[in-house]
């Protein structure tokens, strides 16, 4: 029997200077170790219809330049779909915007992070609950990951377990139930992706009083974050 494919819900595209490396869905598929025919991509931001849930091993929701708090039509339709999928037990993983969209779909609160923009290679601190989580078990208490965001999950959904935080963001990862995860950081980003995003946001960073060159120089590899993405794929297939 062939393995069921994963559904990647595309909620946005990379910043223009990074599109030569492909789409967010492509970055995720490669980082997750999925073959081209092992993923079905639906561009919900562009208006593509959400499919039925049947026949998918799991769902991964991408990042976006949009804001969940804008409540765009395509985003709210996706939130409704994700709410139903979560309650039906379909394995779900949200990344950055996808993390926030899942939290919103399940009754959490999303908004501007009071600490402002988080960008670059950052430390992720695990809560004790993470050490028995299927995606985080065995990882060190602190590990590096790539991040770029202005909004955050300010309040996790009722019943969710917050798995990770850092000094900037109190909810860098959560699990809801046994099959739904949100990651504020980007497990699919390579150092090339992260440095490219810092260059693309140079003017905004300068306006905020931050040194983009210094941030880019401090970028380092984050293999453990990528491991979490691959663990989700294995978990969903089981």
């Amino acid at each position: 029997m062939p393995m069921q494919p994963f559904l990647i819900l595309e909620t946005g595209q990379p910043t223009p200077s990074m599109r030569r490396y492909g789409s967010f869905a492509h970055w995720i598929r490669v980082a997750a170790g999925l073959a081209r025919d092992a993923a079905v991509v639906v561009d919900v931001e562009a208006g593509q219809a959400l499919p039925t849930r049947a026949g998918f091993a799991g769902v991964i929701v991408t990042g976006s330049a949009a804001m969940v708090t804008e409540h765009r039509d395509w985003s709210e339709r996706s939130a409704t779909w994700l709410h139903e999928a979560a309650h039906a037990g379909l394995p779900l993983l949200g990344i950055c915007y996808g993390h926030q969209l899942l939290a919103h779909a399940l009754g959490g609160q999303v908004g501007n992070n009071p600490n402002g923009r988080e960008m670059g290679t950052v430390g992720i601190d695990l809560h004790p609950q993470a050490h028995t989580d299927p995606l985080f078990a065995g990882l060190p208490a602190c590990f590096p990951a790539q991040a770029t965001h202005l909004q955050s999950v300010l309040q996790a959904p009722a019943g969710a377990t917050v798995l990770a935080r850092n000094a900037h963001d109190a909810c860098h990862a959560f699990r809801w139930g046994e099959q739904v995860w949100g990651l504020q950081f980007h497990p699919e980003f390579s150092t090339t992706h992260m440095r490219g995003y810092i260059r693309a946001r140079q003017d905004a960073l300068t306006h905020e009083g931050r040194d983009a060159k210094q941030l880019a120089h401090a970028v380092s590899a984050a293999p453990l974050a990528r491991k979490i993405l691959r663990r989700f794929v294995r978990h969903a297939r089981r």
Side-chain angles (χ1 to χ4, degrees):
M1 290 286 292
M3 287 187 290
Q4 292 179 318
F6 282 79
L7 174 64
I8 301 179
L9 294 184
E10 211 164 34
T11 62
Q13 296 297 324
T15 193
S17 61
M18 296 299 293
R19 292 177 189 174
R20 65 184 182 274
Y21 298 109
S23 65
F24 283 143
H26 172 73
W27 300 1
I28 288 169
R29 182 183 63 76
V30 172
L34 292 170
R36 189 178 299 275
D37 62 355
V40 174
V41 179
V42 173
D43 189 345
V44 291
E45 186 197 32
Q48 291 184 355
L50 287 151
T52 59
R53 295 189 302 270
F56 292 109
V59 181
I60 303 173
V61 189
T62 75
S64 178
M67 300 292 180
V68 168
T69 54
E70 294 169 333
H71 301 296
R72 301 185 187 189
D73 287 346
W74 60 264
S75 184
E76 291 299 292
R77 285 196 301 272
S78 299
T80 299
W81 190 95
L82 290 166
H83 175 91
E84 294 171 355
H87 282 274
L90 186 63
L92 307 175
L93 176 70
I95 296 171
C96 196
Y97 187 91
H99 159 78
Q100 297 164 21
L101 186 61
L102 275 173
H104 167 63
L106 295 168
Q109 181 186 353
V110 176
N112 293 335
N113 189 302
N115 295 315
R117 185 189 309 272
E118 184 175 40
M119 189 162 223
T121 306
V122 303
I124 303 298
D125 301 318
L126 295 184
H127 287 297
Q129 303 93 305
H131 299 307
T132 56
D133 180 82
L135 305 195
F136 288 86
L139 297 184
C142 183
F143 61 88
Q146 317 298 355
T148 173
H149 64 109
L150 285 164
Q151 294 200 323
S152 294
V153 174
L154 303 180
Q155 182 176 328
T161 300
V162 177
L163 300 170
R165 66 175 300 280
N166 62 13
H168 190 96
D169 194 319
C171 183
H172 245 293
F174 73 86
R175 185 187 71 246
W176 182 90
E178 300 300 322
Q179 301 277 50
V180 178
W181 285 268
L183 308 176
Q184 181 58 67
F185 56 90
H186 283 273
E188 82 280 17
F189 269 30
S190 67
T191 55
T192 297
H193 298 141
M194 191 69 259
R195 291 192 181 103
Y197 257 82
I198 291 170
R199 286 193 296 271
R201 301 287 185 261
Q202 182 169 351
D203 289 347
L205 288 164
T206 300
H207 180 73
E208 294 163 5
R210 303 177 70 186
D211 188 333
K213 288 185 178 180
Q214 185 178 14
L215 267 180
H217 181 73
V219 168
S220 62
L224 294 179
R226 180 164 295 196
K227 187 175 186 176
I228 293 165
L229 178 57
R230 296 196 172 206
R231 281 182 171 183
F232 172 74
V233 168
R234 291 197 297 271
H235 174 84
R237 279 182 168 160
R238 285 199 295 268

